[in-house]
Amino acid sequence: MSEQTFIKGKERSLEESIQNLESITQEIGFNLQQGLKLHPVPHIHSLHIYEQSCPGIFTNGKGASEKACYASALGEFLERLSTNYFFSDYWLEEEVASSQGQWLYYPNEKSFSPDNFREMLSPELWAFYADLSASDDYADFAESEFEFDSFLSFNDHVEEIRALPMTAQKTGKVHYFPMNLFSNLYASNGLAAGNTALEAQVQGLSEVFERWVKNRILRENLCIPIVPAEVLNQYPAIVQAIAALQEEGIFIEVRDASLGGRFPVINVTLYHQATGLCFASFGAHPIFEVAVERTLTESLQGRHLKELDGFQMPSFDAFMVASDENIENHFIDSSGLIHANFVSHNFDYEFEAWDFSGDVAQQWQHLCELVYQQGTDVYIANYQQFGFAACRLVVPGMSEVYPKHELLDANQNFGRLLRLALLSYPQQQNPLEIVDLIDELGFSDHQGVASLIGLMPDAGSFWGSVNCLQLKFWCFLAAKDYSAALDCLLDIRHFLNPQTPWYGIYRAFEFALEGMLEEDQVFLHDSTGLQALFTQDTVNKILAHLQGEMQFWNAPQGVDIFKQSQAHQTLLGIYHNIRKYKQKQS
């Protein structure tokens, strides 16, 4: 390896990191492919990589050079593999069978029963998660209202809570966090990878600060100062990238989001002045230059300059900007609203030329001290299963992506109840129970059934296409409640894309059901009108449904929903291969 390229914030050369990461993924058995690759202006690169056999397993990289971008994508791939993030939204059992006593995520996980689940976490952590006083709807919430079922794993049907050990940075004590807590509150926030454990931890904690400070700015309607030109001019690559974007019609402001020099956070706001739309991106790192570079590359990750996805007109509605939903949109893809005051020059802080650099140990210690000043602690799980450092960090009170009350009213494991009902449907054959369950669990009409039950569906499949409202229609149809089925269809058609094959099918059902209800089922014996309007195959299937000979458009039912999905079976194969690998490394 003759060429050695080092970048700030990394302890190994890009060439060494890439060689190591490629060898690891190949040894495990991955065949990674490069997808969308963008280089819109100098010093800004982004790259999409994915597993050839399962494109749903993918990551995106960004960087100031092609090598840095590729290393970023590979590092994120190993990060999400090490932390199980790739598998967190899917059912990982092949059948409804107890795997009690066997680990699902890591060999060092611990299971808790209804008798001892209070031994998880710590008294302080239980008190934190139980305190929902910030939400008006839960002002009187008490800790005793937490139930065992609230923390069951989404990824299986074992009646035990699966929890992972995490170490408190301040005290050194180990506490067990239920995997359910990560899925419901933290998503990918706090996940990171690096050449060393400390490098990964600095990256992970920097991202926690990035999102926490951004949320404060949005909720408190703050206007942060612009970084002076004389400061940016110290970094020629950044200045060159900004100038190139301006030539493309994108005006750039780099703003200091440190809130008076306290936190290592930067904002880059992109303005498309031809339309009045803008896009705000945030980034963080103890080294000022690295923070600016990461924020700038993040702002254009996966984005063509002619496509303004996520760009918005600033809003004067402070309540809307501060809402939980808008904050979540900013976490997902930074597409949320920003307030008009944010883009003004009505600054709430003066610019501070901050720089918290030093060696990686000093950077880490400084970030931890900032956390302690907020009255909380950093909980860490480090992973070296693949010969590469990755970590999961939780900072209670700072790193939550979703509000804590979602543990009660939007828990991911509500989906396991719907999944269990669908798995047992071939034996139970009670479609109206599924309708009642959907209503009881409070799922919205547009939620996709596949994501709720943890299915990776095949493209174009029935289960990959159906949402909750449509599933209720199919259940009413199976129960021969034709009036309720027609009512569902009248709502369904308002949200259907006329370009999809399902548009014609649902319209055909609408015509057939109206005919049946109008003519008191004479329609079944004279379907000439239906046959004139739709294809013979569609007509045959509709009549089969109305006569009780077919259900769910002949799609797989029960466990076959998962077994007959090639995409899901491929995912399971990858999971089981990784599971064996982790077992060998433990």
Side-chain angles (χ1 to χ4, degrees), residues 480 482 516 524-525 540 542-550:
K480 297 186 178 181
Y482 299 128
M516 279 197 64
L524 286 175
H525 307 293
N540 290 342
I542 286 175
L543 293 176
H545 279 81
L546 297 180
Q547 292 164 349
E549 298 168 358
M550 185 183 291

Side-chain angles (χ1 to χ4, degrees), residues 4 36 53 91 93 116 132 161 165 197 266 301 307-308 320-321 326 359-360 363 381 451 472 479 487 502 542 545 567:
Q4 296 280 287
L36 182 65
S53 66
W91 189 43
E93 292 179 307
N116 69 351
L132 301 184
I161 297 171
I266 283 291
Q301 185 173 25
E307 297 175 2
L308 303 181
M320 181 71 72
V321 171
N326 192 56
D359 63 33
V360 68
Q363 293 172 19
S451 62
K472 288 165 70 172
D487 287 342
W502 290 104
I542 286 175
H545 279 81

